[in-house]
Amino acid sequence: AGLLDQGERSFQQGKYVEAKQSFQQAANLDANDPRSRVSLAFAEFATGSFDQAAVAAHDAMSMAPDLAATPLDIRGGFGNVSTFDQRYDALQQTATSQAETSRVRFLLGFMQYYSGDRTKGVETLLKYSASNPDDRTIVPFVKTAEKFVRNVSDQKGNTTPPAAPSPITQPGNAAPVSNVAPVSMSSTPEPSRD
């Protein structure tokens, strides 16, 4: 089994440190693989390493801006959703105590976008981008994200995509995603988040 598969199994079992190690090794072996960076970002988030998660998410975003057009649900990928909720709450507290220019603020937008609140995620990423004019690498991702949110909203009447069986999927009606292979970190649908 490959390192990504090994990492996914560890992640699903709640072994986030092991998952992080597998995803990091996969990223080291293929410096141009956005899939390993996305997976690494989620594993870093799961361990509470928000700065490192932000770096991995930023790398993935710059490698594959069209990743924004994938209906990804990281919350559904956690074996224990309460672990996700605890980390997400900690991320929100950490991010709100830091400047708009903070990479942790960037991570908050990324996690909002990929955990069921795409509109809020785009808003947070736009604020981060406006506060960081020298960080041009996320601009294509944010533009794709805005377009995706508009398209989903137009098609469904809301901005939350349906729960997917895996965090990264390529539905037939979404824009094709180049350079990104599916990541399967969840086989359960996402419960609603209040």
Side-chain angles (χ1 to χ4, degrees):
L3 289 168
L4 287 174
D5 292 336
Q6 181 180 339
E8 286 180 24
R9 279 192 303 280
S10 295
F11 194 92
Q12 290 170 349
Q13 295 169 359
K15 298 176 182 177
Y16 304 122
V17 173
E18 288 178 26
K20 181 170 72 168
Q21 291 168 345
S22 295
F23 295 140
Q24 183 64 63
Q25 288 175 4
N28 291 344
L29 289 174
D30 186 351
N32 298 313
D33 178 21
R35 182 178 168 207
S36 63
R37 298 312 186 288
V38 169
S39 299
L40 179 59
F42 294 142
E44 294 282 12
F45 166 80
T47 63
S49 302
F50 300 145
D51 287 325
Q52 291 86 353
V55 169
H58 193 273
D59 288 349
M61 221 182 250
S62 64
M63 288 177 188
D66 52 355
L67 181 66
T70 59
L72 173 71
D73 168 33
I74 184 54
R75 188 172 189 265
F78 274 70
N80 181 349
V81 175
S82 67
T83 301
F84 173 86
D85 291 338
Q86 290 170 358
R87 291 292 187 247
Y88 187 83
D89 291 344
L91 174 62
Q92 284 183 305
Q93 288 179 338
T94 302
T96 55
S97 70
Q98 297 187 12
E100 283 294 332
T101 57
S102 164
R103 282 275 172 109
V104 175
R105 285 279 181 130
F106 158 79
L107 180 64
L108 177 61
F110 186 80
M111 294 307 296
Q112 288 167 329
Y113 189 79
Y114 285 124
S115 64
D117 195 350
R118 290 182 180 274
T119 301
K120 184 68 173 170
V122 168
E123 289 171 9
T124 302
L125 289 169
L126 283 169
K127 286 179 187 176
Y128 170 83
S129 183
S131 298
N132 293 281
D134 293 336
D135 186 357
R136 306 306 302 160
T137 59
I138 72 163
V139 172
F141 178 91
V142 173
K143 286 182 180 181
T144 301
E146 287 178 302
K147 183 178 177 182
F148 183 76
V149 166
R150 274 193 310 275
N151 288 343
V152 169
S153 182
D154 290 347
Q155 292 175 9
K156 309 246 185 216
N158 65 48
T159 59
T160 304
S166 66
I168 297 179
T169 59
Q170 295 181 28
N173 63 354
V177 178
S178 63
N179 301 330
V180 182
V183 171
S184 174
M185 291 172 132
S186 169
S187 59
T188 59
E190 171 191 9
S192 65
R193 183 167 161 77
D194 294 343

